[in-house]
Amino acid sequence: MSDLSQLRELVAQSCRMLGKLNLTKEPSGHVSARAPGENSILIKARGPEESGLRFVTGRDIIIVDFAGKKVAGDDGLDVPQEVFIHTWLYKSRPEVQCVVHVHPLTVVLFTICNKPLQPLYGAYDPSGLRLLVDGLATYPRSITVSNEKLGEEFAQAMGNKQACLMRGHGITSAGPNVEEATLTAIKVNDAAVINYQANLLGSPQPISQEDIDIMVGKSRGSSKAVHAGSNWRYYCKLLDED
Ligand SMILES: [Zn+2]
């Protein structure tokens, strides 16, 4: 299998994972990856022949250039109107190899109420804690990022963060590979679910700075890659259950 075919399958796998975990609404959302060696990306298509995120196969992944124009893909598979979220992150951040955009309900609730996601847990999920400590960007507008100008504005709002909360809309995550960008999206959603449920139950107590420092330290470096690898394999197995 060529590098491009492997990447296409990986993007499709990420889509199915996010769909299976109910991290989006209906068929919305898309995952992309920087195509090797050229100014183009692989991205999950929309259009009359599309499959919703949960049901994506390699066929649903089309090739689009940095101007947002379709370069290759079957008829009936069109460029998502929010392709500019993706193209602008690839153009402005050379380290980014994968971009995930989904509409997770619980995260959207936090953006609507303008409540921050607090670091409420350590050992439960150290890399999820690190994500919150490193900070999430916010995009205050609740519109579809459907042209170059809005794509540029969104990329500026996201800056160099791993994830951006989009008001009344969803989230975008970016990473050095498909696995990390996907896991980041899952962890942002986990943080929102825990913050939401803890607030329903009572008054969440922040964990101590000492414990934050210890757990964030543990989640960096080589252990980060080990955990990301085992988490990814876990979610791949989850997909294989069907
Ligand atoms: Zn969207």
Side-chain angles (χ1 to χ4, degrees):
M1 203 187 277
S2 71
D3 285 355
L4 197 65
S5 308
Q6 278 183 333
L7 195 55
R8 174 178 274 120
E9 290 307 319
L10 202 54
V11 169
Q13 200 169 23
S14 164
C15 289
R16 290 196 299 277
M17 216 174 257
L18 296 163
K20 177 147 186 166
L21 295 170
N22 285 322
L23 252 71
T24 201
K25 178 166 168 51
E26 297 159 347
S28 62
H30 16 80
V31 177
S32 68
R34 192 189 289 273
E38 48 195 319
N39 286 340
S40 61
I41 63 174
L42 293 171
I43 189 166
K44 189 263 171 190
R46 298 298 308 261
E49 294 291 319
E50 76 172 318
S51 309
L53 219 56
R54 187 168 179 160
F55 309 102
V56 164
T57 67
R59 178 184 172 268
D60 296 287
I61 311 301
I62 60 173
I63 300 180
V64 173
D65 67 19
F66 274 15
K69 297 277 178 296
K70 181 174 165 183
V71 174
D74 286 356
D75 289 346
L77 293 174
D78 304 326
V79 179
Q81 59 170 331
E82 292 194 295
V83 67
F84 303 99
I85 291 173
H86 301 255
T87 52
W88 274 93
L89 287 176
Y90 292 116
K91 285 192 287 189
S92 57
R93 293 175 55 177
E95 84 284 8
V96 168
Q97 299 295 326
C98 174
V99 175
V100 170
H101 172 64
V102 283
H103 298 173
L105 174 63
T106 312
V107 185
V108 172
L109 290 172
F110 277 82
T111 69
I112 289 170
C113 297
N114 206 20
K115 284 186 184 285
L117 295 177
Q118 292 186 302
L120 299 178
Y121 49 83
Y124 176 76
D125 180 9
S127 54
L129 169 67
R130 191 190 66 242
L131 194 59
L132 297 185
V133 169
D134 287 348
L136 304 172
T138 54
Y139 180 58
R141 304 187 70 182
S142 189
I143 49 169
T144 314
V145 183
S146 55
N147 62 45
E148 296 281 3
K149 188 166 174 287
L150 291 171
E152 183 177 17
E153 178 184 271
F154 171 75
Q156 279 175 359
M158 183 156 168
N160 63 357
K161 297 296 187 188
Q162 292 178 78
C164 183
L165 311 183
M166 305 165 79
R167 181 177 168 80
H169 183 172
I171 61 168
T172 295
S173 65
N177 52 55
V178 173
E179 293 90 333
E180 278 197 39
T182 307
L183 291 170
T184 295
I186 293 170
K187 286 174 186 297
V188 170
N189 185 63
D190 285 347
V193 169
I194 287 184
N195 269 262
Y196 180 63
Q197 293 183 352
N199 276 287
L200 281 181
L201 190 61
S203 306
Q205 305 296 307
I207 57 177
S208 71
Q209 190 59 47
E210 182 187 3
D211 288 358
I212 288 178
D213 292 344
I214 291 170
M215 295 315 296
V216 167
K218 274 183 192 283
S219 74
R220 293 197 195 280
S222 58
S223 68
K224 178 184 171 189
V226 170
H227 281 107
S230 64
N231 287 348
W232 178 259
R233 288 192 298 279
Y234 165 78
Y235 287 116
C236 288
K237 286 276 186 191
L238 196 66
L239 283 179
D240 289 344
E241 273 187 336
D242 292 342

